Amino acid sequence: MNLSAPLARRHIPRNLFVLDLAPRTESIEREVVTGLSRLPKTLPPKLFYDRRGAELFNAICGTRAYYPTRTENQILELSAPEIAAAIGLGSVMIEYGAGEIEKVRHLLQSARPSMYVALDISGDQLVRASTSLAFAYPWLSVVSVIGDYHAELEAELTLPERARRIVFFPGSTIGNFEPDDACDFLRRVRALVGEGGGIVIGVDLQKSIEVLDLAYNDPQGYTAAFNLNVLARLNRELDADFDLSTFAHRAFYNTERARIEMHLASLREQRVRVAGRSFSFAAGETIHTENSYKYTPDGFVSMARRAGFNASRMWTDPARWFGVFFLHN
Ligand code: AVI
């Protein structure tokens, strides 16, 4: 993306700064080849979010079956004044996985941060969404960083020294991390926000298997298309030859591990070429594409404690399907 081109520049508001720290294709290739060489085969969930994947994810969020988005939005809307009071005025807000940059809008008016940093792997969507945010909030300094969770923000960006740092991590994306990685992520957030800082984080809570299974098998088929789109992406970007009609979406709740698992099942025995290598699939063999862990409030708070946060507060909905936590010291 060449943002310095005159045409592009004219559409970038003055209060927006864009930084591209996206992982290069070579590193994606390495991760894909490693994942497909494992048994069981895996692919990293960040591959979901190319342009089409981001569109499909937005479609999922709008379905009746996928309750997390609307439930979290309701919590944020109802509790915005309390959450904003907990955050305090004039902070630097850093949102990981900002996507369409919608949820933070619930908090901006009352928390009035001095700077908002949005980080997301899906560059086109991020630039479009942060441009519209910067136009809508001309008083706010907006920085959009194209990159994944490992982007070294502080090495690339000078954050204001004295403002309180608040990470905003809605959507229960923490559920897509393995529990140890989730704890490490919270530890890194704690180091980034420092003494006095905190994190507002959305967490999907444990509930009935029927509700969970339906959320990842929506009747419209958006989740299936989202899952299969990964193979279309590999065909395009890594010169792969997956025949999408020979793979099927599978999603189910694993009760023992308290997680939804998403897989792509090969419907027949076959060989597929990816990045110049050949991978064989038995009939029924799956590629494990995502885990989405579901927490209990106590389980999540004890993980936050292990990560070093010693104070927490939770806002939830009447059915206690979703929790928005504020963790700080
Ligand atoms: C982004 N993440 C929190 C979603 C989830 O629910 O785990 C991704 C998703 N996968 C299928 N549907 C939604």
Side-chain angles (χ1 to χ4, degrees):
M1 192 175 325
N2 179 5
L3 292 169
S4 57
L7 187 69
R9 272 247 63 96
R10 267 210 304 269
H11 298 284
I12 306 270
R14 281 175 192 280
N15 55 331
L16 172 65
F17 177 77
V18 179
L19 192 63
D20 189 349
L21 304 179
R24 304 289 134 219
T25 312
E26 311 84 73
S27 79
I28 291 174
E29 179 175 325
R30 212 174 323 117
E31 283 188 68
V32 167
V33 168
T34 308
L36 293 180
S37 307
R38 279 199 193 110
L39 265 180
K41 293 180 171 62
T42 61
L43 282 172
K46 69 177 175 197
L47 288 180
F48 287 134
Y49 302 94
D50 63 355
R51 188 194 289 246
R52 178 74 187 134
E55 279 168 15
L56 286 165
F57 181 63
N58 290 336
I60 293 170
C61 292
T63 62
R64 183 85 215 128
Y66 192 73
Y67 62 85
T69 310
R70 70 168 180 282
T71 311
E72 186 179 41
N73 270 322
Q74 281 158 8
I75 298 168
L76 287 172
E77 206 178 314
L78 276 172
S79 310
E82 280 180 30
I83 300 172
I87 293 171
L89 291 171
S91 65
V92 172
M93 284 185 81
I94 303 156
E95 178 169 357
Y96 284 91
E100 283 293 322
I101 318 191
E102 274 165 351
K103 290 177 183 159
V104 76
R105 290 179 185 237
H106 293 296
L107 303 177
L108 290 179
Q109 231 22 287
S110 27
R112 283 253 160 188
S114 55
M115 180 187 268
Y116 168 72
V117 182
L119 186 116
D120 204 287
I121 191 71
S122 186
D124 296 319
Q125 180 187 33
L126 182 69
V127 172
R128 183 178 37 73
S130 51
T131 300
S132 112
L133 186 86
F135 276 126
Y137 298 84
W139 49 266
L140 181 65
S141 168
V142 179
V143 180
S144 62
V145 182
I146 305 163
D148 65 17
Y149 303 103
H150 302 291
E152 291 293 340
L153 278 184
E154 276 190 305
E156 307 288 340
L157 202 65
T158 316
L159 295 171
E161 279 290 310
R162 290 224 281 274
R164 188 182 198 196
R165 293 180 182 177
I166 301 292
V167 164
F168 183 53
F169 196 39
S172 197
T173 306
I174 192 83
N176 297 132
F177 296 16
E178 287 306 302
D180 283 349
D181 296 340
C183 193
D184 278 354
F185 172 79
L186 291 179
R187 247 181 233 119
R188 278 192 289 122
V189 164
R190 197 169 160 267
L192 174 73
V193 298
E195 226 20 75
I199 176 169
V200 175
I201 180 166
V203 180
D204 198 12
L205 301 176
Q206 291 177 14
K207 58 187 67 61
S208 82
I209 297 181
E210 292 73 33
V211 172
L212 288 166
D213 278 350
L214 183 66
Y216 292 82
N217 291 284
D218 63 278
Q220 294 94 328
Y222 292 131
T223 311
F226 174 71
N227 201 5
L228 282 159
N229 179 56
V230 171
L231 303 183
R233 178 173 185 179
L234 298 188
N235 284 352
R236 207 175 52 243
E237 293 184 22
L238 294 184
D239 201 19
D241 62 358
F242 284 100
D243 173 355
L244 270 60
S245 68
T246 64
F247 284 85
H249 165 72
R250 301 269 183 268
F252 55 87
Y253 189 61
N254 178 333
T255 319
E256 229 164 85
R257 309 189 75 167
R259 68 188 193 193
I260 285 280
E261 294 186 12
M262 290 218 310
H263 296 257
L264 287 164
S266 174
L267 299 176
R268 57 168 158 81
E269 192 183 325
Q270 58 182 311
R271 296 191 78 80
V272 179
R273 288 195 70 76
V274 183
R277 288 157 215 253
S278 176
F279 297 93
S280 61
F281 288 84
E285 184 179 354
T286 74
I287 310 175
H288 190 164
T289 49
E290 187 181 62
N291 288 320
S292 196
Y293 284 86
K294 309 301 169 188
Y295 287 90
T296 61
D298 286 349
F300 185 73
V301 167
S302 66
M303 182 170 80
R305 290 237 162 81
R306 283 201 303 282
F309 288 106
N310 49 38
S312 67
R313 187 163 173 196
M314 180 182 86
W315 293 268
T316 187
D317 53 291
R320 292 175 81 84
W321 277 7
F322 200 94
V324 174
F325 290 78
F326 180 52
L327 311 175
H328 59 114
N329 292 304

